[in-house]
Amino acid sequence: MPLSRTLRIVILIAAVLILLATLSLVPLEAVPAWGWDVSVFRAASRALMAGENPYQPENIPPFAAGSELATIPYYVYAPFFAVGFIPFALLPPDWTSRLWFLANLALVVASAG
């Protein structure tokens, strides 16, 4: 017997609350390579906002602002992605990586439903 729509929504909300509580307690930044991609996205968006070319590798580290970058911090994505990432780039690095993770998780959950 399938679950009712209301019960599925309650379960989803409970799961999101549990995940939020977990994310607020777990030091994800201590995990090796955590957030390397999102750090490059954030730095490229910040470079773009400053009028710099995000495709120049030397322009990425100055805009990392405390984020740990991959050993080869190249931005190789479409320019409109850097523009779309600007709201995340305005946040502190740890908030950016956690919110980006939650956004991706929300899209996975939505695609499964």
Side-chain angles (χ1 to χ4, degrees):
M1 180 171 149
L3 297 175
S4 72
R5 179 177 169 87
T6 305
L7 184 57
R8 284 187 290 169
I9 291 171
V10 168
I11 291 171
L12 180 62
I13 290 171
V16 168
L17 291 174
I18 290 169
L19 180 66
L20 287 173
T22 303
L23 283 175
S24 68
L25 298 174
V26 175
L28 296 174
E29 292 78 13
V31 176
W34 167 260
W36 278 1
D37 290 338
V38 75
S39 295
V40 171
F41 303 159
R42 183 176 179 275
S45 294
R46 293 173 65 87
L48 196 63
M49 288 188 300
E52 298 292 335
N53 182 353
Y55 294 102
Q56 296 294 328
E58 62 273 7
N59 288 343
I60 297 299
F63 293 99
S67 298
E68 182 181 348
L69 293 170
T71 51
I72 305 174
Y74 294 125
Y75 181 75
V76 295
Y77 308 96
F80 63 82
F81 184 78
V83 172
F85 204 80
I86 287 175
F88 288 99
L90 297 173
L91 300 170
D94 56 334
W95 282 65
T96 301
S97 59
R98 289 173 190 272
L99 286 176
W100 183 246
F101 175 77
L102 287 175
N104 281 277
L105 183 65
L107 290 172
V108 168
V109 169
S111 69

